[in-house]
Amino acid sequence: QARLEESGGGSVQAGGSLRLSCVAELYYSRVSMGWFRQAPGKEREGVALIDNDGRTNYADSVKDRFTISRDNANNALYLQMNSLKPEDTAVYYCAADRRSALDWLSFKSGSMDYWGKGTLVTISS
């Protein structure tokens, strides 16, 4: 059965950095992957997307601060988060989709095939 497992969440002060990791066990080798987040009382939002060929897209709120990357050989996905702000506080979810060249609008809709359980990121001011 497909499985995604996130790690790397934690608590840091504003201005700090965190690196999230996601290990994927999937039946499909060519997938798009990405990170979503859901803050308390808010809807889930797409944060960063990387397709199977390495093309990336980011939410405006994280551009120039977050970097998504993947290691296909190790079935891993990463999110390097720098210059963190209190508004980045959320549960972050790893997700994968069998559409290998997923576009940003489709990604933002949240209709991904596979999801992790999430990891909590807390940024204090």
Side-chain angles (χ1 to χ4, degrees):
Q1 189 167 352
R3 187 174 68 93
L4 300 173
E5 184 170 354
E6 305 93 339
S7 62
S11 299
V12 298
Q13 289 190 327
S17 298
L18 281 173
R19 187 188 194 217
L20 304 184
S21 299
C22 172
V23 176
E25 295 181 8
L26 301 172
Y27 294 122
Y28 303 94
S29 59
R30 294 182 58 81
V31 295
S32 295
M33 301 187 74
W35 292 95
F36 291 79
R37 68 185 180 187
Q38 186 164 21
K42 294 189 176 182
E43 292 187 354
R44 185 181 59 197
E45 63 170 339
V47 174
L49 164 68
I50 184 166
D51 71 11
N52 192 74
D53 291 327
R55 289 180 290 256
T56 59
N57 270 291
Y58 298 92
D60 288 342
S61 59
V62 306
K63 276 180 183 176
D64 301 323
R65 298 190 299 121
F66 290 10
T67 302
I68 189 170
S69 60
R70 63 192 289 171
D71 179 351
N72 290 338
N74 292 301
N75 297 319
L77 178 72
Y78 305 102
L79 186 67
Q80 178 66 44
M81 306 186 295
N82 299 328
S83 302
L84 284 161
K85 304 176 181 180
E87 50 264 43
D88 294 320
T89 294
V91 177
Y92 284 71
Y93 299 91
C94 170
D97 194 273
R98 288 171 287 177
R99 291 168 287 181
S100 63
L102 190 63
D103 63 276
W104 180 245
L105 286 180
S106 298
F107 173 76
K108 286 202 305 179
S109 74
S111 59
M112 305 292 281
D113 290 325
Y114 308 106
W115 292 87
K117 293 183 179 180
T119 185
L120 177 62
V121 171
T122 305
I123 311 302
S124 58
S125 57

